[in-house]
């Protein structure tokens, strides 16, 4: 049994621990999460452990990235289970601050990520990326790591974080790791637990529709509207799933393509019942 991670709740203590490690010549890998950990999160921890001497996982349900009608209050919080999962993965430090120490009462500064924060997810969650960028920047300040690990599952988030890091000259290497899926293809997410058994049975249609798109492109289809139509048709075939968007963009960007003639990402969002799910894949 691996030793338990050091649990830190104070920002200054975290900064001190990370600085000490770096002064000793160690490399530090940071994994920001909102907890309720699953194998997707743990794959980021594995990547950080493989590439860095010290791994730091943060667990903080960030209120500023939730809209007023979203699930901030009901978002799952399981600190004890999270800690034992992280102990099992050999994580070194867990930072689990309380809300007031991250957002002090007079907090006033937010990061505006520009137009990339207003499209796709941003159209349905207008203040989401402002909250994400702000908390990620704060975590980068509190844990001045060499590398930070993010999941490909939140594709637009990886673009937003890379943009912020470049624009604001943040000295941290952003690493993006593959999406981890359930056996039936559903991308792992802390929100999957909101699904009723019937919704859970229908949810794999999202990844299935992306696989169909991959096969179409593998078979020579290059037309973006034909691909989008096939995806929508597949998703709608299961009933009671509301598509929010199906974006087909040049991989590594949010710029729509007119034809598939290079690495292309298909990113989509849909609601099943009350639960909003996202997924994406790269093709071409
Ligand atoms: P969250 O706790 O949802 O904020 O996610 C924390 C990090 O885990 C983010 O970088 C996510 O992209 C990543 N993540 C969440 N789900 C998965 C997954 N299924 N596969 C890989 N990474 C994931």
């Amino acid at each position: 049994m691996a030793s338990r991670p050091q649990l830190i709740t104070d920002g200054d203590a975290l900064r001190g621990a990370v600085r000490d490690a770096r002064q000793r010549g160690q490399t530090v890998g940071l994994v920001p999460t909102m907890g309720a950990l699953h194998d997707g999160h743990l794959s980021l921890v594995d990547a950080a452990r493989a590439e860095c001497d010290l791994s730091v996982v943060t667990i903080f349900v960030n209120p500023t990235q939730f809209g007023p009608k979203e699930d901030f209050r009901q978002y799952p919080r399981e600190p004890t289970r999270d800690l034992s999962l992280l102990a099992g993965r050999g994580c070194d430090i867990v930072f689990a601050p309380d809300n007031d120490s991250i957002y002090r009462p007079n907090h006033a500064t937010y990061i505006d990520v520009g137009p990339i924060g207003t499209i796709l997810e941003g159209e349905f969650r207008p203040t989401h990326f402002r909250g994400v960028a702000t908390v990620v920047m704060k975590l980068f300040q509190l844990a001045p790591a060499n590398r930070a690990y993010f999941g490909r599952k939140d594709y637009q988030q990886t673009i937003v974080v890379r943009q912020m890091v470049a624009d604001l000259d943040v000295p941290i290497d952003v690493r993006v790791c593959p999406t981890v899926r359930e056996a039936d293809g559903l991308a792992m997410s802390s929100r999957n637990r909101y699904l009723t058994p019937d919704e859970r049975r229908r949810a794999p249609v999202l990844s299935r529709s992306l696989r169909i798109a991959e096969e179409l492109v593998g078979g020579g289809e290059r037309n973006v509207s034909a691909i989008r139509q096939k995806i929508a048709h597949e998703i709608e075939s299961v009933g009671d799933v509301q598509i929010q968007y199906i974006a087909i963009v040049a991989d590594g960007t949010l710029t729509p393509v007119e034809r598939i003639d290079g690495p292309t990402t298909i990113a989509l969002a849909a609601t099943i019942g009350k639960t909003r799910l996202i997924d994406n894949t790269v093709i071409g």
Side-chain angles (χ1 to χ4, degrees), residues 3-243:
S3 66
R4 290 186 81 76
Q6 181 188 357
L7 176 62
I8 299 181
T9 55
D10 176 72
D12 291 330
L14 176 67
R15 193 188 282 109
V18 171
R19 279 195 183 148
D20 287 351
R22 292 196 59 172
Q23 263 160 20
R24 289 194 299 271
Q26 293 189 310
T27 55
V28 179
L30 174 69
V31 181
T33 82
M34 297 203 300
L37 301 179
H38 51 64
D39 282 348
H41 299 115
L42 297 176
S43 75
L44 305 182
V45 181
D46 292 346
R49 291 243 309 143
E51 292 183 350
C52 307
D53 300 313
L54 189 88
S55 55
V56 178
V57 174
T58 69
I59 298 179
F60 179 63
V61 184
N62 173 38
T64 64
Q65 72 188 69
F66 289 79
K69 297 201 176 115
E70 292 182 1
D71 54 342
F72 174 68
R73 276 166 177 281
Q74 75 183 103
Y75 197 86
R77 289 159 174 90
E78 316 179 316
T80 309
R81 179 174 176 274
D82 288 348
L83 267 180
S84 73
L85 286 172
L86 290 171
R89 287 315 236 258
C91 165
D92 298 300
I93 294 178
V94 174
F95 178 57
D98 63 25
N99 196 30
D100 295 347
S101 70
I102 293 293
Y103 295 105
R104 286 177 289 273
N106 56 353
H107 182 96
T109 305
Y110 291 88
I111 293 180
D112 175 352
V113 297
I116 60 170
T118 64
I119 56 174
L120 307 181
E121 288 297 290
E123 198 182 325
F124 296 90
R125 310 184 72 191
T127 57
H128 176 64
F129 288 116
R130 169 190 196 255
V132 168
T134 302
V135 81
V136 168
M137 188 64 174
K138 284 174 70 72
L139 293 171
F140 287 175
Q141 299 299 318
L142 293 170
N146 300 80
R147 307 188 181 98
Y149 294 81
F150 294 87
R152 164 94 198 180
K153 199 213 116 201
D154 296 272
Y155 175 73
Q156 189 172 1
Q157 173 169 280
T158 67
I159 310 278
V160 164
V161 170
R162 282 193 194 285
Q163 176 89 40
M164 177 187 77
V165 162
D167 289 350
L168 300 183
D169 305 302
V170 186
I172 200 160
D173 183 10
V174 173
R175 300 280 217 224
V176 176
C177 302
T179 302
V180 178
R181 298 177 180 282
E182 302 287 355
D184 61 9
L186 178 64
M188 288 190 183
S189 164
S190 309
R191 291 192 168 96
N192 289 349
R193 69 189 66 197
Y194 297 156
L195 298 167
T196 65
D198 177 55
E199 290 163 354
R200 176 63 188 82
R201 270 191 296 280
R202 286 181 287 135
V205 74
L206 301 187
S207 61
R208 198 161 67 237
S209 76
L210 292 173
R211 276 211 313 278
I212 289 172
E214 283 162 16
E215 282 161 19
L216 276 174
V217 174
E221 182 63 81
R222 293 290 176 265
N223 183 307
V224 160
S225 6
I227 295 167
R228 185 180 282 108
Q229 226 169 41
K230 283 277 179 19
I231 294 173
H233 183 263
E234 178 67 17
I235 293 176
E236 279 156 3
S237 73
V238 303
D240 249 0
V241 183
Q242 268 68 51
I243 298 170

Side-chain angles (χ1 to χ4, degrees), residues 262-282:
T264 304
T265 285
I266 307 180
L268 53 79
T271 57
I272 303 192
K274 291 199 175 81
T275 303
R276 186 169 185 282
L277 299 177
I278 58 174
D279 203 348
N280 73 86
T281 193
V282 60

